[in-house]
């Protein structure tokens, strides 16, 4: 009980010292980082807003024609290439239609496996020999 008060004071002093060092490090970190104000959005005047509205109204997406997809001409493609493509597409359609179920074949063996306990013990003793 006599040593309790000095020990408590020492522990309190150590905790205070750790806290003060922590505060100093935090202050150093604040000084290292430059204070940069957050970015502000650009100020748009009323005239610019009206101009932007006119531009968006004049460019209506429905008014812009969309070019049609390019189709292959049968005149440009040789006859052999066209036939090969048709055959491959027909084969692909057939492969999609055919279900690919695999039926496992079970082979029946005529041999009857017999288990001999005596032979198993002898073989186990041979394989697991005690080395001295």
């Amino acid at each position: 009980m006599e040593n309790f008060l000095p020990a408590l004071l020492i522990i309190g002093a150590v905790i205070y010292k750790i806290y003060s060092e922590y505060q100093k490090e935090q202050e150093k970190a604040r000084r290292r980082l430059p204070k940069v104000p957050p970015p502000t959005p650009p100020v748009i005047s009323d005239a610019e807003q009206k101009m932007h509205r006119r531009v968006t109204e004049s460019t209506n997406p429905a008014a812009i024609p969309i070019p049609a997809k390019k189709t292959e001409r049968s005149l440009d493609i040789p006859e052999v290439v066209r036939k090969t493509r048709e055959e491959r597409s027909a084969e692909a359609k057939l492969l999609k239609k055919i279900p690919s179920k695999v039926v496992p074949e079970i082979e029946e063996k005529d041999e009857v496996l017999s288990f001999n306990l005596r032979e198993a013990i002898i073989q186990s003793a041979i394989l697991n020999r005690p080395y001295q």
Side-chain angles (χ1 to χ4, degrees), residues 19-62:
Y19 179 73
S20 63
E21 290 296 320
Y22 175 75
Q23 290 296 331
K24 287 179 185 178
E25 289 298 321
Q26 290 296 319
E27 187 62 34
K28 287 180 185 177
R30 282 189 209 112
R31 288 182 193 153
R32 278 185 292 216
L33 296 175
K35 294 183 179 179
V36 180
T40 57
V43 178
I44 300 173
S45 66
D46 291 333
E48 290 176 353
Q49 288 179 356
K50 288 178 183 177
M51 183 185 295
H52 181 67
R53 285 184 200 146
R54 288 181 191 161
V55 171
T56 55
E57 289 173 359
S58 66
T59 58
N60 188 356

Side-chain angles (χ1 to χ4, degrees), residues 44-114:
I44 300 173
S45 66
D46 291 333
E48 290 176 353
Q49 288 179 356
K50 288 178 183 177
M51 183 185 295
H52 181 67
R53 285 184 200 146
R54 288 181 191 161
V55 171
T56 55
E57 289 173 359
S58 66
T59 58
N60 188 356
I64 298 174
I66 299 173
K69 294 182 179 178
K70 295 182 180 179
T71 57
E72 297 176 0
R73 295 182 183 176
S74 60
L75 300 176
D76 294 343
I77 301 172
E79 188 67 26
V80 177
V81 174
R82 190 179 55 77
K83 285 182 181 179
T84 308
R85 286 184 181 174
E86 290 174 1
E87 290 173 3
R88 287 183 183 172
S89 64
E91 289 175 7
K93 289 178 183 177
L94 285 175
L95 289 175
K96 288 180 181 177
K97 291 180 182 178
I98 298 173
S100 59
K101 288 187 176 179
V102 178
V103 179
E105 297 180 10
I106 300 173
E107 297 179 10
E108 295 182 16
K109 294 183 179 179
D110 294 333
E111 301 174 15
V112 177
L113 297 174
S114 62

